[in-house]
């Protein structure tokens, strides 16, 4: 339909109408592409928010686990100091000695690497994290 109209205008040598038809087509394509770009940007921002929420919830859980580990480590330090004091004074408390020795040999593992970050790296979607400082901090944490 548009081609017939443009051909008709060319035969009639109505250059203004030819220019107007071409302008309408070019503007239509431009607006369509611009709309697609806006939609892509909106989707990228939504994916970024979702990814940041996942990272935040993962690190909140890691923080709770680290707090529990810290409590265990404090108990281990107290047990160690009780044993050292008992050895120095020559009076080991036999009622807590077994528990204190057990505490000293308890191994507390290091916090695990970020699963969400590893997933983003493996899938090649690290660009979802729009904050470069956060990306650098995640690299440093996982190292």
């Amino acid at each position: 339909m548009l081609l017939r109209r443009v051909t008709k205008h060319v035969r009639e040598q109505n250059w203004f109408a030819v220019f107007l038809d071409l302008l309408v087509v070019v503007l239509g394509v431009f607006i369509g592409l611009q709309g697609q770009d806006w939609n892509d940007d909106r989707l990228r921002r939504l994916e970024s928010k979702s990814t940041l929420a996942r990272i935040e919830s993962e690190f909140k859980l890691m923080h709770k686990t680290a707090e529990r580990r810290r409590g265990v480590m404090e108990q281990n330090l107290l047990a160690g100091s009780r044993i050292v004091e008992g050895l120095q004074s020559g009076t080991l408390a036999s009622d807590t000695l077994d528990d204190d020795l057990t505490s000293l040999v308890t191994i507390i593992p290091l916090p695990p690497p970020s699963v969400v970050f590893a997933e983003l790296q493996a899938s090649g979607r690290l660009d979802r994290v729009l904050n470069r400082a956060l990306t650098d901090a995640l690299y440093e944490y996982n190292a």
Side-chain angles (χ1 to χ4, degrees):
M1 181 164 138
L2 181 65
L3 186 59
R4 268 186 268 151
R5 210 169 27 170
V6 170
T7 307
K8 177 185 170 200
H9 291 150
V10 169
R11 264 189 261 123
E12 294 173 355
Q13 294 188 353
N14 186 352
W15 301 116
F16 178 74
V18 170
F19 173 76
L20 195 58
D21 289 341
L22 291 176
L23 182 66
V24 166
V25 169
V26 169
L27 283 176
V29 169
F30 175 76
I31 290 171
L33 291 174
Q34 188 63 40
Q36 183 65 37
D37 286 347
W38 288 336
N39 191 44
D40 289 346
D41 286 344
R42 183 184 63 83
L43 289 175
R44 192 174 302 115
R45 283 191 309 272
L46 287 175
E47 287 177 346
S48 176
K49 283 182 182 180
S50 170
T51 300
L52 289 176
R54 288 180 58 210
I55 290 172
E56 181 181 15
S57 93
E58 180 183 41
F59 274 90
K60 281 182 179 179
L61 180 63
M62 285 182 185
H63 180 72
K64 287 179 184 176
T65 304
E67 286 296 316
R68 284 194 300 265
R69 285 185 180 130
R70 192 181 102 223
V72 170
M73 290 175 78
E74 286 175 354
Q75 293 300 318
N76 291 354
L77 286 173
L78 289 174
S81 67
R82 279 193 299 266
I83 291 174
V84 168
E85 288 173 8
L87 288 173
Q88 287 174 342
S89 68
T91 56
L92 284 172
S94 60
D95 55 332
T96 61
L97 184 59
D98 287 340
D99 292 337
D100 289 345
L101 287 173
T102 303
S103 290
L104 287 180
V105 296
T106 302
I107 297 174
I108 300 170
L110 293 174
S114 170
V115 175
V116 175
F117 182 69
E119 176 188 310
L120 290 172
Q121 272 185 309
S123 67
R125 299 195 135 236
L126 200 53
D127 59 340
R128 285 184 178 181
V129 181
L130 300 177
N131 185 333
R132 184 67 189 161
L134 177 60
T135 305
D136 291 344
L138 287 169
Y139 270 117
E140 186 177 331
Y141 175 80
N142 271 22

